[in-house]
Amino acid sequence: MDCHSSQPSRRDFLRGALATGASLTLTAGLSSCASRGDAPQTVGVDQWRQFRGATLNFISENTAPTAAIAADLSPFTDLTGINVNIVTLELTALVQRVALDLASGRAQYQVIYADPYQVLAPYQRGLVDLRTLQADRNLPDLPGGVGDFIPTQLDAAGRFVEPGPIYALPYDAPTMIWQYRRDLFDKYRDRMANDLGFDPTPGGDRTWEEYYGIAQWFNKNAKADVLYGTGHQARQHDSLMNDFSNVLWSYGGDYFDNGRQVGRMGSRDPGPSRLDSAAAIAGAEFYQRLLAIADPGSTTWDWDGVGAAFRGGRLAMCPNWHEFAASNEQVLPGKVDYAPLPKGPAGTANMYGGTGVGISANTLSHERGAAWLFLVWATSPQTQLTNLKSKAGGGTPTRTSVYELPEVRAAEKRPSTMPNMLTAAAVRQAWQPDKIGLRPKIPMWNECNTAIFTQLSRMLTERVSPEEAMRSMKERVDRIVARGWVA
């Protein structure tokens, strides 16, 4: 019998863990709901001090805001008297660990970095509806309320299917944009414009065909300054799906019908895949052609690899997550600039990779309250501002009010003490509802994602035709979706 009857069964959780490739050994702790003590609570003290002496465990992907918070937890501990242990893992390992912890009926990790696609969608019933804590008068309110979060991000990172419940608060907001060597574009702009017949200045009005032309021009004409015009995160990995999706959407292709809704709110049954549509195949054909002139290392790189190649001077430009700006500015200060990704026949699309933080439904009452204090603090405007300034982190705010602060506005221009804010003009455009790229938020996404990037890799490295790759992708995705999620 499950400890929490409203949650998915252990079988559901373990099935999800196995889908990510975990090797499982079931222990007594996993197969029984052993009793444990709740966190301490002191009645009649300040709301922020009522759980002093408690210890929380926060499991997170190794992201910019977590790095900044981990570098200095003293403000939270001083405020609350609560100790926080932070465990950071690569995302696949995190998903496996979270699945096992939710299945155990015991919250080893009270606070969870709830990736929308690999944690929130499959395990939504294992997370607390945060509205219950926001409504508790014995607990602090969210400063600014949920209305201060960027609305698209609150839906994408915090909700699943139903518009009411909120299972996570937006915590980070990495978004793919066009990153380019401004110094090289300044040096060669007139020559490029004359040779190519258009203004090569990067921006959302440039087309992917023009991006291709610019990349090819650098390949042929600027070897003294840079080896390749473009590079990509095209390793057989989640990074390849992200990189390709920007092109897919801009050409009018999509993973499922009603793609924007499936990406923003999610779906338990998205219906048949549309990856074999003429628009999707056209996008794949262009992507294969673009990668053929990109740095050959692209098929071995994820986002870190292409980021390192760009900072190392190999590339004139690349699509990558905007939060790489902080490291770009350390290595190439003043030489890099940022723009929305190019457009295709259907417009521009910029992949959003943001995630929220949630609370395990396995938590006991006082643990849950203590975890809420951490969520309120970690996503507060003040903490987000501190993260922006952190040399250890540099995460991007998810709250509208932070972007309106005069010092943050000023940091959008050089010299800047908040280098990620140099991308602000680009990401503001990228976050517009008609430009943000939202992959499908469905419970079976992890399996679908693997099928997608596996077939894309075959297209890039084994000379499989785009049409064959996309049709094979559709067949695999349809089989996965048809099986459903509930075992």
Side-chain angles (χ1 to χ4, degrees):
M1 183 177 189
D2 288 332
C3 298
H4 301 274
S5 59
S6 64
Q7 294 174 225
S9 69
R10 288 195 180 90
R11 185 181 178 194
D12 294 336
F13 283 122
L14 298 181
R15 179 171 175 260
L18 286 167
T20 67
S23 176
L24 306 181
T25 301
L26 300 186
T27 66
L30 184 63
S31 60
S32 65
C33 299
S35 62
R36 70 186 194 281
D38 200 350
Q41 183 184 34
T42 303
V43 179
V45 299
D46 178 86
Q47 286 181 322
W48 286 96
R49 301 289 295 176
Q50 61 184 305
F51 303 112
R52 63 179 182 266
T55 296
L56 295 174
N57 295 321
F58 172 29
I59 186 168
S60 175
E61 189 179 6
N62 188 10
T63 65
T66 298
I69 286 172
D72 186 12
L73 276 164
S74 59
F76 178 73
T77 301
D78 292 344
L79 175 66
T80 64
I82 297 170
N83 297 308
V84 181
N85 300 317
I86 298 179
V87 175
T88 58
L89 297 171
E90 184 271 332
L91 182 58
T92 300
L94 176 144
V95 173
Q96 295 168 3
R97 191 81 64 88
V98 167
L100 293 173
D101 197 49
L102 294 177
S104 74
R106 304 178 64 183
Q108 178 181 356
Y109 305 104
Q110 293 85 12
V111 181
I112 295 171
Y113 180 86
D115 178 85
Y117 315 98
Q118 299 189 44
V119 174
L120 174 58
Y123 306 131
Q124 151 256 323
R125 289 181 292 166
L127 300 172
V128 172
D129 181 352
L130 300 177
R131 296 177 304 171
T132 61
L133 298 168
Q134 171 71 347
D136 189 336
R137 294 183 179 181
N138 295 315
L139 297 172
D141 288 333
L142 280 169
V146 295
D148 191 33
F149 292 107
I150 296 167
T152 306
Q153 296 180 17
L154 180 62
D155 287 346
R159 293 187 166 103
F160 184 62
V161 182
E162 290 84 14
I166 299 172
Y167 300 103
L169 299 179
Y171 178 67
D172 60 12
T175 303
M176 292 189 74
I177 57 172
W178 188 346
Q179 308 189 15
Y180 64 97
R181 289 285 301 275
R182 185 177 67 172
D183 57 335
L184 299 184
F185 273 78
D186 287 347
K187 178 178 180 178
Y188 291 113
R189 179 172 288 106
D190 291 343
R191 281 183 58 191
M192 279 196 286
N194 184 64
D195 292 347
L196 296 171
F198 60 85
D199 180 356
T201 304
D205 289 333
R206 297 276 69 78
T207 68
W208 277 111
E209 285 290 352
E210 289 171 339
Y211 183 99
Y212 178 96
I214 294 167
Q216 197 168 47
W217 191 94
F218 273 108
N219 286 352
K220 294 178 179 179
N221 298 285
K223 290 294 187 184
D225 289 310
V226 69
L227 292 176
Y228 295 96
T230 187
H232 295 262
Q233 47 187 270
R235 172 186 162 197
Q236 186 174 322
H237 180 271
D238 178 61
S239 57
L240 175 53
M241 177 280 302
N242 285 294
D243 197 60
F244 168 72
S245 293
N246 299 310
V247 174
L248 171 72
W249 290 320
S250 72
Y251 270 73
D254 214 328
Y255 291 99
F256 301 99
D257 288 335
N258 304 313
R260 290 192 184 279
Q261 180 69 9
V262 173
R264 181 164 179 162
M265 295 302 297
S267 173
R268 293 186 177 89
D269 182 10
S273 170
R274 299 306 181 196
L275 286 166
D276 62 341
S277 71
I281 292 170
E285 289 171 345
F286 173 79
Y287 189 73
Q288 185 187 55
R289 187 157 55 90
L290 177 63
L291 268 290
I293 66 163
D295 189 315
S298 295
T299 55
T300 70
W301 294 335
D302 60 9
W303 38 79
D304 287 327
V306 74
F310 181 72
R311 292 192 304 275
R314 289 179 64 95
L315 312 173
M317 58 186 184
C318 65
N320 207 354
W321 302 104
H322 81 279
E323 290 181 345
F324 275 80
S327 51
N328 290 344
E329 296 303 316
Q330 289 179 356
V331 179
L332 298 168
K335 294 183 179 181
V336 180
D337 220 333
Y338 309 93
L341 289 172
K343 65 182 180 181
T348 184
N350 302 262
M351 173 65 84
Y352 164 79
T355 289
V357 280
I359 298 174
S360 170
N362 290 336
T363 48
L364 300 176
S365 176
H366 300 164
E367 283 184 320
R368 193 168 295 192
W372 173 251
L373 298 188
F374 182 76
L375 260 63
V376 172
W377 175 82
T379 64
S380 69
Q382 183 56 52
T383 300
Q384 293 196 351
L385 177 62
T386 300
N387 288 351
L388 259 180
K389 300 176 181 179
S390 173
K391 295 186 183 302
T396 304
T398 58
R399 287 178 168 274
T400 301
S401 61
V402 178
Y403 290 96
E404 295 172 349
L405 294 172
E407 64 178 309
V408 174
R409 286 281 191 184
E412 294 181 17
K413 296 181 180 180
R414 293 181 174 88
S416 177
T417 58
M418 309 173 195
N420 278 343
M421 287 309 299
L422 297 173
T423 69
V427 295
R428 278 197 197 95
Q429 294 183 58
W431 289 339
Q432 292 175 13
D434 63 335
K435 294 181 173 63
I436 193 168
L438 298 169
R439 76 199 80 172
K441 189 163 61 173
I442 58 177
M444 62 292 290
W445 174 248
N446 188 58
E447 290 179 86
C448 292
N449 186 23
T450 300
I452 290 161
F453 64 65
T454 298
Q455 295 308 308
L456 286 171
S457 183
R458 292 185 64 227
M459 182 183 81
L460 298 179
T461 63
E462 299 178 19
R463 298 186 181 276
V464 173
S465 74
E467 182 172 1
E468 179 184 346
M470 298 303 283
R471 294 192 188 284
S472 180
M473 202 183 299
K474 174 203 165 43
E475 291 172 2
R476 285 165 169 75
V477 168
D478 282 349
R479 286 201 298 269
I480 294 165
V481 171
R483 288 205 309 266
W485 171 249
V486 179

